[in-house]
Amino acid sequence: MNFVNAMKYATIKIFRNHKNFYFMLVIGIFSLILLMIFTYQKYMTDIHEKYLNTQLFYREISVMPSDITSDVDALFYEPIRSIPHVLDIYDSRYGIFYTESPTFKEKIYDGVITLKYGSNATFPKIVEGNIFESNATGVAICSKNFYPSSYNTKDIIGSNDIFLDGEELIGKTFKTESKIYKRVDGDIIENGKYLKEFKIIGVFDNTVSMDTPNTCYVSGGDIEDIYKHTMLEVNSDVYFPYTVLVDDKNNLGEVGNAINTMGYQADVTSIIDTEYISKLRIISIVIIIIAIISLLVTIFVYLKKNALDNSQEIGLLKAIGYKKWDIIKINMAKMIEMILIPYLLSIFIFEIIFFLIELLFKNYFLYYGYSLNHLIDAYFYTLEIIFILPIIINFIFIVKLTKKKTIVLIKEVI
Amino acid sequence: MNKILIYIKGLTKKYQRNKEDIVALDNINIKFEIGKFYAVMGHSGSGKSTLINIIGLIETATSGEYYLNGKNISDFNENEKANIRAKYFGFIFQDYNLDPNLKAYENVMLPMLIDKKVKNKDAKEKAIKLLVSLDLTHRINHYPKELSGGEQQRVAIARALANNPEIILADEPTGNLDKKNEQKIFSDLKKLSESGKCVIVVSHSLEIKEYADVIFTLEDGTIRW
């Protein structure tokens, strides 16, 4: 029998025997489950990796000067800056600052902006516009998907457009309004607001840098200026460490040792938590093993239930002159179709689910810098599992049947 | 004398049952000619089905020689036997043995599709013609479960004729049919033999004597004429 006729015959046999639908349904369900598991696991692992690679926190060392009562000077900064793998050093008070912008306070936005220390060492990749020099002032690089607000569940879990187009904001200025706090008789009270103006000169993709979409990078000098005008009195009796930024988390130990050798106290504060990923991997592996075992059981039950039908068919084909390998070819074509059809349907359903998740949670993903990309690996891993096992088992089963004498197969029929 | 298609010499078939040798066929010598209707009769267990299965190459003899069209095919391998079955033989079984998931014409097409060069369209046309010739025009698109016993057997006959074989083998083709249908089936088989085919039929039915050209009886594995 030629290939085309074999496929036609296989297709007819599949769709006219209702027993095959249950098998195909099970394969389809397994495919969908495996696609989801693999996608979720890879996705979470990728996010974890991305988070580790993008968040400066994992490349930071906290350093206290040996003499914490005095202002630090060039004898502190420059020697540390010159240590191999050190990218930058700055006062940790100026790493991040939360403020409000009356410019953006309207409609759904409460105007809360996160200002982050911007330097060549900390800038995320710019998608449009320019970066600034470390001594610049009054300039900002903001998120391309700009959401000048604190987290609001109603907005984030929804599909309405809530983000401003950062590229359209390039060249525009915005004001920040930070509350001034003073100590009065031991109490901390609000005492006015400190205003500052920034001009947006560039935008970055927050889904790449995993910054919240209300983040703007400004110079350390600007943050220092705001801090000194608003918080200095509040924290006057607190000593803050300095942040040393290292080029790679694998070099933290080396840099920390070098700093300690210089007589300063260096603490590697980041702890890379891999427990979640390990648990996720274990759970995924367990589910995959359960799926594989269930798949094997399904195949065996299906082949057993269809043993008589298969014997009947093979006996007949042999009796009318089909050769062993023709019979194997026809049966393998059947099994391949019975796997590929539900597999492709499961991909179709998966894509619909994927599309709906993207649609319903697009703001959530943009907010947290997650990017929901198709993970092609998941399709291949799923196909390997649901394809290889049944094909091998079916092949062994059919070869065994075809080896039986024709009269034995015929007698099983009559 | 017609051309001899099949010549069987010294054919013996033994089975092992409970470590004991059972002789199903004992030193059978027989010839089959084209254009004749052969009836193989005998009581249950006499070896009739075994003989027809060996003739049709779906069972192997323990010893003996088998000549088909003058060629000794006794030691042919499975693929060679499959080729011969496809080319020379058409089988009709007692239980029809139609594929329940294929329509009547699709069942008839099945032997034709062995040949890789055969197109589906041509095979379908030929299958429909065969069914029409057997008065099954109104049943072409029906599944076996929608056919009566007689109709199913006629579809089986059409399938047996699909590759225009020279030899038709039928093992109790009327075993599940009433008298009227039995007569119809024997009549169809008779026409086939008259058209030049060698028809070999195993049957319990005495009715076959009205149609057969040659009748022999198997008793305890040997032939009685």
Side-chain angles (χ1 to χ4, degrees):
Chain A
M1 192 182 256
N2 63 42
F3 177 74
V4 170
N5 287 335
M7 293 306 291
K8 277 185 184 168
Y9 177 77
T11 307
I12 287 171
K13 291 287 285 182
I14 290 166
F15 287 100
R16 290 190 191 166
N17 186 346
H18 68 274
K19 288 180 200 170
N20 295 327
F21 288 130
Y22 298 114
F23 179 78
M24 288 164 77
L25 180 66
V26 170
I27 295 287
I29 291 170
F30 277 134
S31 296
L32 197 56
I33 291 171
L34 287 172
L35 275 173
M36 286 178 170
I37 299 275
F38 283 128
T39 302
Y40 182 73
Q41 196 218 348
K42 180 101 174 59
Y43 180 69
M44 293 309 290
T45 308
D46 283 353
I47 283 181
H48 182 76
E49 283 297 312
K50 190 179 171 187
Y51 197 71
L52 290 180
N53 290 331
T54 56
Q55 299 306 295
L56 301 178
F57 174 71
Y58 293 105
R59 292 189 281 128
E60 289 174 352
I61 297 174
S62 288
V63 181
M64 289 298 283
S66 50
D67 180 359
I68 60 173
T69 57
S70 64
D71 288 332
V72 295
D73 57 17
L75 289 178
F76 176 72
Y77 277 115
E78 292 314 313
I80 290 177
R81 221 181 231 122
S82 65
I83 295 171
H85 304 301
V86 169
L87 295 178
D88 203 348
I89 172 169
Y90 52 90
D91 192 321
S92 64
R93 292 175 293 179
Y94 314 139
I96 192 164
F97 195 90
Y98 301 103
T99 184
E100 263 184 40
S101 171
T103 313
F104 293 116
K105 198 170 180 179
E106 57 164 7
K107 296 177 191 171
I108 59 170
Y109 310 119
D110 62 18
V112 169
I113 303 279
T114 302
L115 299 178
K116 272 192 168 180
Y117 174 86
S119 74
N120 285 326
T122 64
F123 286 136
K125 195 176 169 190
I126 305 296
V127 294
E128 187 75 30
N130 300 300
I131 56 174
F132 51 79
E133 295 297 321
S134 54
N135 59 358
T137 184
V139 287
I141 298 164
C142 296
S143 169
K144 185 179 82 156
N145 305 298
F146 197 52
Y147 178 70
S149 198
S150 48
Y151 185 91
N152 181 313
T153 307
K154 191 169 152 256
D155 290 337
I156 303 304
I157 309 295
S159 52
N160 296 328
D161 281 331
I162 60 166
F163 296 97
L164 298 173
D165 186 346
E167 287 179 18
E168 286 183 7
L169 294 173
I170 292 177
K172 295 205 164 96
T173 58
F174 66 95
K175 285 192 168 66
T176 61
E177 204 175 77
S178 308
K179 290 175 185 167
I180 300 169
Y181 292 96
K182 286 204 176 294
R183 274 188 192 273
V184 176
D185 298 329
D187 293 326
I188 296 167
I189 57 163
E190 238 181 85
N191 188 22
K193 288 185 181 167
Y194 182 68
L195 296 173
K196 202 161 171 71
E197 191 171 274
F198 293 95
K199 182 179 177 183
I200 299 173
I201 63 165
V203 291
F204 63 92
D205 187 346
N206 76 300
T207 63
V208 173
S209 66
M210 297 190 88
D211 285 309
T212 53
N214 68 345
T215 299
C216 289
Y217 283 81
V218 298
S219 71
D222 280 333
I223 297 179
E224 183 179 356
D225 178 52
I226 297 172
Y227 185 90
K228 282 182 172 169
H229 280 93
T230 58
M231 299 292 289
L232 195 60
E233 265 191 51
V234 171
N235 294 324
S236 58
D237 53 353
V238 180
Y239 296 98
F240 289 85
Y242 287 77
T243 300
V244 176
L245 187 62
V246 180
D247 57 1
D248 190 287
K249 56 186 182 291
N250 296 318
N251 297 323
L252 286 169
E254 184 186 324
V255 172
N257 288 337
I259 293 172
N260 284 330
T261 306
M262 289 165 98
Y264 304 113
Q265 186 188 330
D267 287 316
V268 176
T269 53
S270 68
I271 300 165
I272 297 172
D273 181 13
T274 56
E275 197 188 335
Y276 171 74
I277 293 298
S278 301
K279 276 186 186 160
L280 180 64
R281 276 209 186 103
I282 291 166
I283 292 169
S284 301
I285 288 167
V286 167
I287 293 176
I288 290 164
I289 289 172
I290 292 171
I292 290 172
I293 293 170
S294 305
L295 189 63
L296 282 170
V297 168
T298 304
I299 295 160
F300 278 116
V301 167
Y302 170 78
L303 288 174
K304 199 158 176 230
K305 276 192 174 296
N306 285 279
L308 184 59
D309 287 348
N310 281 330
S311 299
Q312 180 182 16
E313 187 188 10
I314 290 170
L316 171 65
L317 291 175
K318 281 185 102 173
I320 61 178
Y322 278 85
K323 292 190 191 124
K324 177 180 150 190
W325 284 105
D326 273 339
I327 295 168
I328 292 169
K329 195 167 62 179
I330 291 166
N331 276 280
M332 294 309 290
K334 263 166 53 182
M335 183 53 77
I336 289 169
E337 273 191 53
M338 283 205 294
I339 293 167
L340 285 180
I341 290 169
Y343 170 70
L344 291 171
L345 272 172
S346 74
I347 289 180
F348 178 69
I349 293 168
F350 179 74
E351 291 294 326
I352 291 174
I353 294 170
F354 198 88
F355 172 76
L356 287 172
I357 290 172
E358 266 188 320
L359 191 65
L360 293 170
F361 294 98
K362 67 169 185 174
N363 292 339
Y364 183 89
F365 290 123
L366 277 176
Y367 188 91
Y368 283 109
Y370 300 157
S371 47
L372 201 62
N373 298 318
H374 275 74
L375 299 167
I376 301 294
D377 293 355
Y379 299 132
F380 288 116
Y381 295 149
T382 301
L383 186 60
E384 270 171 12
I385 290 173
I386 60 137
F387 191 81
I388 290 172
L389 281 173
I391 291 296
I392 292 172
I393 293 167
N394 189 59
F395 180 76
I396 294 168
F397 184 78
I398 293 299
V399 166
K400 218 171 144 185
L401 267 185
T402 54
K403 279 184 177 169
K404 280 187 175 182
K405 292 182 181 178
T406 310
I407 189 60
V408 170
L409 291 164
I410 297 287
K411 275 182 179 170
E412 277 175 25
V413 171
I414 295 172
Chain B
M1 190 178 175
N2 294 348
K3 176 187 161 189
I4 295 171
L5 264 178
I6 297 172
Y7 173 37
I8 288 171
K9 187 176 162 189
L11 183 78
T12 300
K13 176 70 182 178
K14 290 179 185 172
Y15 296 105
Q16 271 256 314
R17 194 178 292 160
N18 299 326
K19 293 183 184 174
E20 199 188 317
D21 271 351
I22 310 289
V23 179
L25 295 170
D26 189 9
N27 197 27
I28 302 284
N29 295 284
I30 192 162
K31 293 174 190 175
F32 296 95
E33 298 168 12
I34 58 164
K36 282 197 174 162
F37 187 141
Y38 293 85
V40 183
M41 303 188 76
H43 60 77
S44 290
S46 58
K48 308 186 297 297
S49 294
T50 304
L51 176 62
I52 204 167
N53 291 337
I54 291 173
I55 292 170
L57 300 173
I58 60 173
E59 193 160 4
T60 321
T62 309
S63 62
E65 287 171 6
Y66 184 158
Y67 293 84
L68 179 68
N69 250 343
K71 191 169 181 176
N72 188 343
I73 63 167
S74 313
D75 296 323
F76 271 26
N77 62 36
E78 276 305 312
N79 278 346
E80 287 165 324
K81 284 182 187 175
N83 284 339
I84 288 174
R85 282 199 295 273
K87 189 177 171 188
Y88 285 99
F89 293 99
F91 271 97
I92 303 163
F93 299 98
Q94 180 178 359
D95 284 341
Y96 328 126
N97 233 0
L98 298 176
D99 191 314
N101 296 310
L102 298 179
K103 295 178 183 174
Y105 77 89
E106 289 165 340
N107 267 287
V108 178
M109 278 169 71
L110 214 44
M112 300 180 207
L113 298 176
I114 294 173
D115 187 349
K116 287 179 184 171
K117 293 176 197 156
V118 168
K119 287 181 190 167
N120 205 283
K121 188 183 147 200
D122 297 334
K124 186 177 176 181
E125 253 177 56
K126 191 173 167 189
I128 290 171
K129 271 188 190 153
L130 278 167
L131 288 170
V132 167
S133 72
L134 288 162
D135 297 327
L136 289 167
T137 315
H138 56 304
R139 294 284 187 236
I140 288 167
N141 284 302
H142 284 69
Y143 290 98
K145 67 180 179 200
E146 296 165 343
L147 307 176
S148 68
E151 287 168 340
Q152 286 189 60
Q153 198 59 292
R154 286 183 359 246
V155 173
I157 292 173
R159 184 182 62 193
L161 296 171
N163 285 334
N164 197 23
E166 293 185 62
I167 306 157
I168 300 293
L169 302 173
D171 190 354
E172 300 282 3
T174 61
N176 293 331
L177 302 178
D178 56 33
K179 191 164 174 142
K180 188 180 164 194
N181 278 304
E182 183 180 63
Q183 287 171 343
K184 180 87 180 76
I185 296 298
F186 283 148
S187 169
D188 288 337
L189 292 170
K190 180 68 181 175
K191 282 178 194 161
L192 290 173
S193 70
E194 285 167 354
S195 71
K197 297 200 186 298
C198 172
V199 177
I200 307 170
V201 180
V202 163
S203 182
H204 279 114
S205 172
L206 297 173
E207 191 70 32
I208 200 172
K209 290 182 178 178
E210 303 295 318
Y211 300 87
D213 298 315
V214 178
I215 300 166
F216 62 90
T217 308
L218 273 176
E219 208 173 291
D220 298 326
T222 55
I223 292 178
R224 302 270 181 266
W225 294 97

